[in-house]
Amino acid sequence: MSAGPDLPVDGSAGGSRVRRPPRERSFGAALGWTVLGALVPGTGFLAAGRRRLGAVVLTVFLLLVAAGVWLATGGQRLAARTAVDTDVLLWAIVGIGVLALLWVVVVVAGYRMLVPPRTSRGRHVVGGLVVAVLVAAIAAPAAFAGHLAATSRDLIAGVFDDDRRSATVTVTDDDAEDDAELFGGRDRVNVLLLGGDGGEGREGVRTDTVIVASVDTGTGETVLISLPRNLQELPFPADSPLGEIYPDGFDAGSESESLLNAVYRNGPAWYPDALGPTDDPGADFLKLGVGEALGLDIDYFVLVNLEGFSRLVDALGGITVNVNYYVPINGDPGTGELPDDYIAPGPDKHMDGFTALQFARGRFGLTDYDRMARQRCTVSAIVDAADPVTLLQRYQRLAATTEDIVSTDIPRSVLDDFVDLAFLVKDAEIRSLVLDPPLIDPAYPDYDRIRQLVQEAIDPPATAPAPAPADGTDPAADTAPDGEPDPADAVTEVADACAYDPVRAEEALAEGEPPTKQG
């Protein structure tokens, strides 16, 4: 009996299918799948035949990617609220560590499943090096992200203290937490922004920059109200202890020591316990006084020490501003000591920290109001410089600098509200009201008129257009009584005041640089 025909192995007609043994995966393919498995976790397991495990890991990875994309787009507000919550940041640090560890396990386990069993020792060394590089590529960003979260947590905990004592905080933690509306349902939140000049050779801190940001909590529309440093007779609420101490306005014995910029230092020096327990009595003096002067309730303050301001600008990599006239570097208007140098006029001038500080501080041969305008432009330039890429690249240095130079009574418990408010502000109108001559007289201030100006800036009255007069003159040319400037002209867009003025700059250049110590 002859032997039967050999059975086909390819499934052709005349015989049953015989399965070939699986072809052994090459070492190069194993490394390729390992790398892909590191980039897209789960694919390595799928290639190794562990389909259920691979599907689970891949699904989790895709869900995490989708969540990240959503946070970067539609969930930006939630991401921002998370970034100011110290408890969530702590869990984020733990979560980053756990995810990084699991990712490393996936890479190592995937390689072990994929590598051929009869791989030479030399190739194992190469494979180990590849896996080590992949692990490092996972661990390094995770360590950076964890450190970033830890730095943020330390910064928030250091600057925004829930246990800080204040005699003037009117929006409490309970209000912010219990009410679904921002700031306990308030229509506006008013923040006092102070620039404290406490540098070398200066006794104590003088707040030469005093600005109130009044923000509509429903729309985000903001009015920045700038007060002159030489404002006199700052009033206080009649029902406050300071109203009894200073019934005729703030007075520290002499005119120069009784100006607005001296209240922060001199008020608590004379009456340290007037307001009871507080961690910053100078700020509370100013919150009460400025609030009474403007007819507003000041909710919080933020103080930036200008001595550290230059470090903040350097941490940002510098700022860019327009310069329309010669700005002095140093110099003393009181003694007549000439400046060391000048910042020349020009558009889009990039400044380091030292130059930016001189730009914001310089006053020799100029007025306080010139300096007030430049300080607003400096703040605007800092906001422009703080783009997301710069903040990410320089965050650690910025965080360390900010904690050193910023003081505030804003508690951590209301930061969520400020985050929501910031999203409204960025898309809303920002106007500026500068209280300077001839709008007001700082030496003899009419506080009733100042309060009226503030209210008209916050809630502009609806006016019908005036009919054109028969003589053809401009009907808006004389709308204010007794020759006073029209209050409507006092409110301007912030960007307009900081624009480059080529005519003024050319005139200044034509006149030449003013005298310096060098001649």
Side-chain angles (χ1 to χ4, degrees):
M1 184 179 212
S2 63
D6 293 337
L7 294 175
V9 295
D10 58 357
S12 59
S16 61
R17 182 180 184 88
V18 176
R19 300 177 64 91
R20 290 180 182 272
R23 183 180 177 183
E24 189 174 274
R25 184 182 298 105
S26 69
F27 178 72
L31 288 185
W33 281 110
T34 301
V35 172
L36 183 60
L39 296 174
V40 185
T43 54
F45 290 154
L46 292 174
R50 303 292 297 272
R51 296 184 178 180
R52 182 174 298 178
L53 177 61
V56 170
V57 173
L58 182 59
T59 300
V60 171
F61 172 72
L62 293 177
L63 288 174
L64 289 175
V65 170
V69 171
W70 179 78
L71 286 174
T73 53
Q76 289 182 358
R77 181 170 298 190
L78 176 61
R81 289 170 69 96
T82 298
V84 298
D85 189 320
T86 53
D87 293 333
V88 174
L89 285 173
L90 179 59
W91 282 109
I93 296 169
V94 174
I96 290 170
V98 170
L99 283 175
L101 180 60
L102 291 175
W103 202 335
V104 168
V105 169
V106 167
V107 172
V108 174
Y111 172 75
R112 290 176 62 87
M113 293 179 187
L114 289 163
V115 69
R118 290 185 295 274
T119 300
S120 66
R121 178 173 297 180
R123 288 187 171 182
H124 271 305
V125 172
V126 173
L129 290 175
V130 170
V131 171
V133 170
L134 294 175
V135 168
I138 295 168
F144 176 75
H147 185 65
L148 203 64
T151 301
S152 298
R153 187 173 185 272
D154 292 342
L155 171 64
I156 293 167
V159 174
F160 305 98
D161 188 355
D162 279 336
D163 297 325
R164 184 187 181 99
R165 297 178 302 172
S166 171
T168 54
V169 170
T170 55
V171 178
T172 66
D173 302 354
D174 292 338
D175 289 339
E177 292 174 357
D178 293 344
D179 200 311
E181 297 180 279
L182 295 184
F183 301 99
R186 284 178 174 268
D187 293 331
R188 305 191 72 85
V189 61
N190 302 305
V191 181
L192 179 64
L193 308 176
L194 304 172
D197 211 349
E200 183 178 353
R202 298 170 183 262
E203 181 182 352
V205 174
R206 286 183 177 267
T207 53
D208 286 338
T209 301
V210 180
I211 300 173
V212 173
S214 181
V215 188
D216 187 314
T217 59
T219 65
E221 291 186 357
T222 302
V223 178
L224 299 178
I225 307 163
S226 299
L227 290 82
R229 62 187 287 275
N230 59 341
L231 187 67
Q232 297 186 31
E233 299 175 356
L234 185 71
F236 295 97
D239 58 351
S240 74
L242 300 184
E244 297 179 6
I245 296 172
Y246 303 107
D248 299 319
F250 184 77
D251 185 357
S254 67
E255 180 177 313
S256 63
E257 295 299 321
S258 302
L259 303 178
L260 175 63
N261 72 335
V263 173
Y264 184 92
R265 181 186 69 180
N266 292 338
W270 284 43
Y271 301 98
D273 301 319
L275 296 176
T278 174
D279 289 331
D280 198 330
D284 286 329
F285 266 68
L286 278 173
K287 287 173 68 177
L288 289 171
V290 171
E292 181 68 13
L294 302 182
L296 300 173
D297 292 325
I298 305 297
D299 301 305
Y300 303 107
F301 82 91
V302 177
L303 169 65
V304 178
N305 191 333
L306 293 181
E307 178 62 13
F309 171 81
S310 60
R311 290 187 285 122
L312 176 63
V313 174
D314 283 333
L316 281 169
I319 61 173
T320 301
V321 297
N322 295 308
V323 183
N324 292 321
Y325 50 85
Y326 283 99
V327 179
I329 296 177
N330 296 322
D332 188 337
T335 63
E337 180 183 352
L338 292 175
D340 297 321
D341 201 353
Y342 281 87
I343 302 170
D348 297 328
K349 305 204 73 162
H350 191 75
M351 299 182 179
D352 60 11
F354 172 80
T355 309
L357 178 60
Q358 300 305 318
F359 177 78
R361 177 187 278 175
R363 191 165 58 93
F364 189 92
L366 302 171
T367 68
D368 280 333
Y369 312 108
D370 292 326
R371 179 166 68 170
M372 288 166 59
R374 294 197 310 275
Q375 287 171 347
R376 291 193 302 276
C377 296
T378 304
V379 171
S380 177
I382 289 176
V383 173
D384 291 339
D387 61 87
V389 174
T390 300
L391 291 178
L392 184 60
Q393 291 175 339
R394 303 172 180 269
Y395 184 79
Q396 295 181 49
R397 186 177 177 187
L398 283 168
T401 301
T402 301
E403 189 169 355
D404 288 342
I405 69 174
V406 174
S407 174
T408 182
D409 60 357
I410 298 175
R412 287 196 300 274
S413 54
V414 299
L415 288 181
D416 283 355
D417 283 354
F418 273 103
V419 167
D420 290 343
L421 192 62
F423 276 88
L424 294 175
V425 170
K426 73 175 184 176
D427 296 323
E429 181 184 17
I430 299 179
R431 303 189 304 277
S432 175
L433 171 64
V434 182
L435 298 174
D436 60 1
L439 195 61
I440 70 164
D441 184 349
Y444 303 97
D446 181 346
Y447 284 108
D448 287 334
R449 172 167 169 75
I450 289 175
R451 296 180 192 110
Q452 179 185 358
L453 290 169
V454 170
Q455 288 305 311
E456 290 177 354
I458 290 174
D459 186 15
T463 56
D471 59 4
T473 59
D474 183 359
D478 189 22
T479 56
D482 303 325
E484 294 180 350
D486 187 351
D489 296 337
V491 182
T492 61
E493 292 288 336
V494 172
D496 295 342
C498 302
Y500 182 60
D501 186 343
V503 174
R504 186 178 183 187
E506 289 298 329
E507 290 176 351
L509 289 169
E511 292 177 4
E513 181 178 292
T516 65
K517 289 179 181 179
Q518 288 73 35

